[in-house]
Amino acid sequence: MTVRIGNASGFYGDRFSAVREMLTGGPLDYLTGDYLAELTMLILGRDRMKDPARGYAKTFLRQMEENLGLAKEKGVKIVANAGGLNPAGLAEALRELVAKLGLDVSIAHVEGDDLIGRGEEFGKPLTANAYLGAWGIAECLNAGADVVVTGRVTDASVIVGPAAAHYGWARDDYDALAGAVVAGHVIECGAQATGGNYAFFTEHEIGVPGFPIAELEADGSSVITKHEGTGGVVNVGTVTAQLLYEITGARYAGPDVTTRFDTLTLTQDGPDRVRITGAKGEPPPPTLKVCLNRLGGFRNETTFVLTGLDIERKALLVREQLEGALKEKPPAEIRWTLARTDHPDADSEQLASALLHCAVKDADPNIAGRAFSGAAIELALASYPGFHVTAPPSAASPYGVYEAAFVDAQQVPHIAVLPDGSRVDIAQASETLELSEVDEPELPEPRFAGAMTRVPLGRVIGARSGDKGGNANLGVWVRSEDAWKWLAHRLTVAEFQLLLPETASLKVTRHLLPNLWAMNFVVEGILGEGVASQARFDPQAKALGEWLRSREIDVPESLL
């Protein structure tokens, strides 16, 4: 019997009401939530520094207080990675909540991902968490748990675990597991699968998108949908966009299975229903990825507003003045960015103004804080005409640095703590396969028929982009075979770097996915030391794809 798994959270801070919306909107067997990201682990790490009893997503606990009785009444089991750095603490808080509410609800949790006890091995980070898989979740559900909370499992695992428990899959049912990973990857980011952040949003009434549901079959095939009557849209485009999100290449490695994204077929299965078939799986790699966060130092920033004439000269003047004032104890890093948002002969002061952003970093909070703030403000009456800032600099704030490490999976514990308190050791994968690149697929025959016209690339392509540590992933897709035959030859790495000059000096790799009429570009190092280090204007590369779509290029008129 088909299992219906809905998702109600794509990040820590997502729509609070989504849990109730999903429970009341229609039938579900399981409700999942993804609360963790690289940045979230840093935030929870700082919480844990203040209080060892913290370190989990407190929002989830409040959502359960409002909705746990409703979930029990409807027979919906809940699985979420909201345990963060302290899944045992969240499980205990849930048990206290259950007692307070007078409910008959059993709680279980999964632990073992936290490797902070091996801190010396990783250079004493603030957090060190391995990405565990789905089998601990499945064990808890098989033991009768109504709610399972975990620490750092892969995002898709909160969906794979319920499916594996429901169908009784074996550890080597790789194709079925791969299909569940694909469905999980689509729905784990919440409304991004139902029209949120969608390149072709102007073609649909998006409103407030409902959250997604995966209807999973025993063979791992699925239909992605949403509750009837909710906002947004589910079509081949929205699902393709989410499939491309932060995947790197055709092989998508996980702790339980390596999923081949080059084997998938998407078909529209009715309004707001997209069927995914054909997933193939391979044994997982022998190592697990570890998310490391450490405190990198302190940062501060201010933005100078430059209005009217001589913008470049004004920028040069304030830069020379501020750097001169800081020369005795200069910050370890100072970064200037001039955004020419000004227009000539503008009919409003705002349209006549450019923005000069200055950001500094240093290990000393006084250098990044008081020294920088004071030097910037002291220029107020002594610099360019019309001097003002969008907001004055303040005290320095700490920033984090992200790093990925890889460890032997057999050296990482994976423990299911069942509702009765008993602990079950979950074996890591016994059959593994070193990860390797897929052979470059054969390019389609080029098709450049007819006249060309210069238009923004986004007239033809969709895009979705995001971060993986210091790297950016930018997936693009088209919606016809003719467009694919053109795109595969036209949008080379060289052309990509020409269109996005910020990437010209960086290593860029292109991965082709002909089955999806899509490709993914990985840009290494563009995000510095990760989102928490705030290395660029768009620190998570969320809009990198939209920048690419705005760039003009010669396109065959037949594709428009």
Side-chain angles (χ1 to χ4, degrees):
M1 184 177 175
T2 302
V3 62
R4 284 174 57 91
I5 304 174
N7 178 55
S9 177
F11 68 100
Y12 191 10
D14 210 344
R15 194 156 84 224
F16 185 89
S17 61
V19 172
R20 178 162 289 271
E21 292 167 17
M22 290 299 282
L23 289 172
T24 58
L28 289 176
D29 298 301
Y30 295 91
L31 184 61
T32 66
D34 176 20
Y35 291 78
L36 303 183
E38 293 162 2
L39 180 60
T40 312
M41 301 303 282
L42 174 70
I43 293 168
L44 295 177
R46 291 175 60 187
D47 282 350
R48 186 170 65 177
M49 284 179 66
K50 298 171 187 172
D51 181 354
R54 291 165 63 179
Y56 56 78
K58 296 183 290 294
T59 298
F60 176 77
L61 195 59
R62 291 193 289 116
Q63 288 172 311
M64 291 302 97
E65 184 169 13
E66 291 189 10
N67 297 293
L68 199 50
L70 180 62
K72 180 67 176 180
E73 175 188 326
K74 291 182 172 291
V76 179
K77 294 179 181 290
I78 294 172
V79 180
N81 61 12
L85 301 177
N86 189 8
L90 177 56
E92 184 56 35
L94 285 167
R95 291 187 191 96
E96 292 173 3
L97 176 63
V98 166
K100 173 183 154 186
L101 297 175
L103 297 173
D104 179 19
V105 172
S106 58
I107 310 295
H109 74 274
V110 178
E111 60 185 46
D113 62 292
D114 195 344
L115 305 184
I116 198 65
R118 293 163 59 176
E120 294 284 347
E121 180 181 340
F122 305 115
K124 296 183 178 179
L126 177 64
T127 70
N129 295 82
Y131 286 79
L132 299 179
W135 294 107
I137 296 170
E139 185 76 23
C140 292
L141 293 171
N142 286 333
D146 297 305
V147 179
V148 182
V149 291
T150 76
R152 179 71 278 183
V153 296
T154 66
D155 298 343
S157 288
V158 295
I159 291 93
V160 179
H166 181 83
Y167 288 117
W169 290 335
R171 298 288 293 255
D172 60 355
D173 283 333
Y174 294 127
D175 291 350
L177 290 167
V181 167
V182 169
H185 182 72
V186 172
I187 74 170
E188 56 92 0
C189 271
Q192 279 196 169
T194 56
N197 300 351
Y198 182 49
F200 300 112
F201 74 100
T202 58
E203 298 177 359
H204 306 280
E205 287 293 329
I206 300 299
V208 179
F211 274 66
I213 298 165
E215 297 177 352
L216 270 152
E217 305 295 342
D219 63 356
S221 63
S222 64
V223 169
I224 306 301
T225 185
K226 61 187 183 71
H227 283 320
E228 190 174 349
T230 56
V233 62
V234 179
N235 62 24
V236 168
T238 66
V239 173
T240 298
Q242 185 54 28
L243 282 175
L244 295 175
Y245 187 58
E246 300 176 349
I247 64 167
T248 306
R251 278 192 169 100
Y252 186 68
D256 302 318
V257 62
T258 293
T259 303
R260 294 289 297 263
F261 274 56
D262 56 345
T263 64
L264 307 177
T265 298
L266 306 186
T267 52
Q268 197 73 39
D269 198 47
D272 293 320
R273 292 177 65 82
V274 173
R275 186 171 296 277
I276 307 176
T277 57
K280 295 295 182 185
E282 300 168 344
T287 58
L288 296 183
K289 184 179 177 181
V290 181
C291 170
L292 303 175
N293 280 293
R294 59 186 89 249
L295 295 178
F298 297 85
R299 67 185 308 275
N300 204 347
E301 60 188 346
T302 194
T303 301
F304 301 94
V305 182
L306 316 174
T307 304
L309 305 178
D310 305 316
I311 295 293
E312 300 285 347
R313 290 288 299 273
K314 288 171 178 172
L316 179 61
L317 173 60
V318 73
R319 179 170 179 165
E320 289 175 342
Q321 289 177 317
L322 184 56
E323 289 184 354
L326 296 172
K327 66 181 180 181
E328 287 190 15
K329 289 186 176 180
E333 180 183 329
I334 184 166
R335 190 173 72 252
W336 295 89
T337 308
L338 176 60
R340 293 301 302 264
T341 51
D342 55 303
H343 296 67
D345 193 25
D347 58 7
S348 75
E349 183 178 338
Q350 188 171 2
L351 288 176
S353 300
L355 301 175
L356 178 64
H357 185 73
C358 181
V360 298
K361 292 179 180 177
D362 200 89
D364 187 337
N366 292 317
I367 290 176
R370 188 182 304 112
F372 171 73
S373 298
I377 293 305
E378 286 171 5
L379 295 175
L381 304 180
S383 191
Y384 61 86
F387 180 103
H388 67 288
V389 295
T390 56
S394 57
S397 58
Y399 72 90
V401 172
Y402 167 83
E403 180 186 350
F406 293 87
V407 298
D408 181 349
Q410 303 302 327
Q411 302 303 313
V412 177
H414 187 172
I415 302 163
V417 184
L418 306 184
D420 63 3
S422 59
R423 301 170 65 84
V424 178
D425 289 326
I426 306 298
Q428 300 289 358
S430 58
E431 182 184 16
T432 61
L433 182 66
E434 289 285 354
L435 193 65
S436 62
E437 293 290 341
V438 172
D439 292 337
E440 183 80 3
E442 188 174 326
L443 288 175
E445 287 295 320
R447 189 173 292 178
F448 300 91
M452 309 288 282
T453 186
R454 194 164 187 83
V455 295
L457 188 53
R459 290 282 302 277
V460 179
I461 71 163
R464 177 160 289 164
S465 55
D467 60 316
K468 279 288 185 184
N471 299 341
N473 279 255
L474 198 166
V476 304
W477 80 96
V478 290
R479 300 188 285 180
S480 73
E481 187 172 8
D482 282 352
W484 169 244
K485 289 178 176 180
W486 171 79
L487 183 73
H489 291 270
R490 188 70 175 87
L491 193 55
T492 62
V493 168
E495 184 70 21
F496 180 91
Q497 292 179 305
L498 187 66
L499 292 169
L500 302 185
E502 273 189 63
T503 70
S505 63
L506 303 172
K507 181 180 178 182
V508 177
T509 306
R510 185 179 81 158
H511 302 275
L512 298 182
L513 294 163
N515 56 310
L516 300 175
W517 293 334
M519 56 181 67
N520 190 47
F521 292 90
V522 179
V523 185
E524 297 186 19
I526 192 171
L527 304 179
E529 295 173 304
V531 54
S533 71
Q534 298 283 307
R536 70 187 293 273
F537 168 67
D538 174 17
Q540 288 183 282
K542 296 295 188 183
L544 196 64
E546 288 302 296
W547 179 26
L548 178 67
R549 295 182 71 238
S550 74
R551 299 290 282 162
E552 294 190 352
I553 192 171
D554 290 330
V555 173
E557 289 184 359
S558 61
L559 299 182
L560 300 177

